[in-house]
Amino acid sequence: NDSTFTIAESLKNIYVDDENPYYVSNNGVLYTKNYEELVCYPMYHEGTDYTIHARTKLIRSYAFKNCEYLRNVVVGSYLEVVGVKAFEGTELKTIKFNSLYPPISTGEEIFNLENVDLLVYVPAIAINDYKSNSAFAYLQLNNLHNLSIANCSVLSIFSQPA
């Protein structure tokens, strides 16, 4: 069940036995063994910046739900699917998508509609594709091509335009 961890309100890290055939923990974040699915980023995981594993193709529904400290996320170029309400309840400031194709959403809402300050960075060549995707249509999309630090892996240095 994708919402299993949403009730773990004091969870900081998830650890998995090395012998587990199905899951792996990467710095306290739960993935499937092959890293193709991000299952859960714990609600109280420390740190404001997170780069999703490069091999991740799917972010499960509610994976980042109510993450207290998370502000900036970098998503690799292989991401294909984002689960419903994957980022619900977070106070993200920035998210950087590296894929030339917007991920498919399993539901209309993957971000907090109330978070009007969220800045989403996408590749310049793909900005129209992201804008036409219903999960991204209402967001302020920013063109990575015009940023001199587009390949930076830590988004906390980006400042919101006035």
Side-chain angles (χ1 to χ4, degrees), residues 54 56 75-79 98-100:
T56 301
V75 179
S77 57
Y78 293 108
L79 186 69
N98 287 302
S99 177
L100 294 179

Side-chain angles (χ1 to χ4, degrees), residues 42-45 64-71 89-91:
M43 232 182 261
Y44 287 96
H45 191 68
F64 289 91
K65 184 176 172 98
N66 296 328
C67 289
E68 186 72 19
Y69 306 115
L70 189 64
R71 297 294 177 265
T90 64
E91 294 184 25

Side-chain angles (χ1 to χ4, degrees), residues 3-14 28 40-47 62-71 88-90:
S3 64
T4 300
F5 294 100
T6 62
I7 59 171
E9 295 182 2
S10 60
L11 192 61
K12 289 184 179 181
N13 293 290
I14 298 171
C40 179
Y41 183 98
M43 232 182 261
Y44 287 96
H45 191 68
E46 294 181 5
Y62 310 103
F64 289 91
K65 184 176 172 98
N66 296 328
C67 289
E68 186 72 19
Y69 306 115
L70 189 64
R71 297 294 177 265
E88 181 184 55
T90 64

Side-chain angles (χ1 to χ4, degrees), residues 31-52:
Y31 288 87
T32 54
K33 192 72 170 186
N34 57 9
Y35 291 98
E36 289 187 357
E37 296 181 26
L38 189 155
V39 178
C40 179
Y41 183 98
M43 232 182 261
Y44 287 96
H45 191 68
E46 294 181 5
T48 59
D49 305 316
Y50 187 68
T51 299
I52 294 172

Side-chain angles (χ1 to χ4, degrees), residues 52-109:
I52 294 172
H53 195 280
R55 286 187 281 187
T56 301
K57 294 180 180 181
L58 182 143
I59 298 173
R60 287 201 185 168
S61 296
Y62 310 103
F64 289 91
K65 184 176 172 98
N66 296 328
C67 289
E68 186 72 19
Y69 306 115
L70 189 64
R71 297 294 177 265
N72 309 296
V73 174
V74 177
V75 179
S77 57
Y78 293 108
L79 186 69
E80 297 173 1
V81 179
V82 178
V84 65
K85 299 184 180 183
F87 293 93
E88 181 184 55
T90 64
E91 294 184 25
L92 284 179
K93 297 295 179 197
T94 59
I95 186 164
K96 176 184 171 187
F97 287 90
N98 287 302
S99 177
L100 294 179
Y101 306 99
I104 296 167
S105 173
T106 60
E108 292 290 319
E109 300 176 32

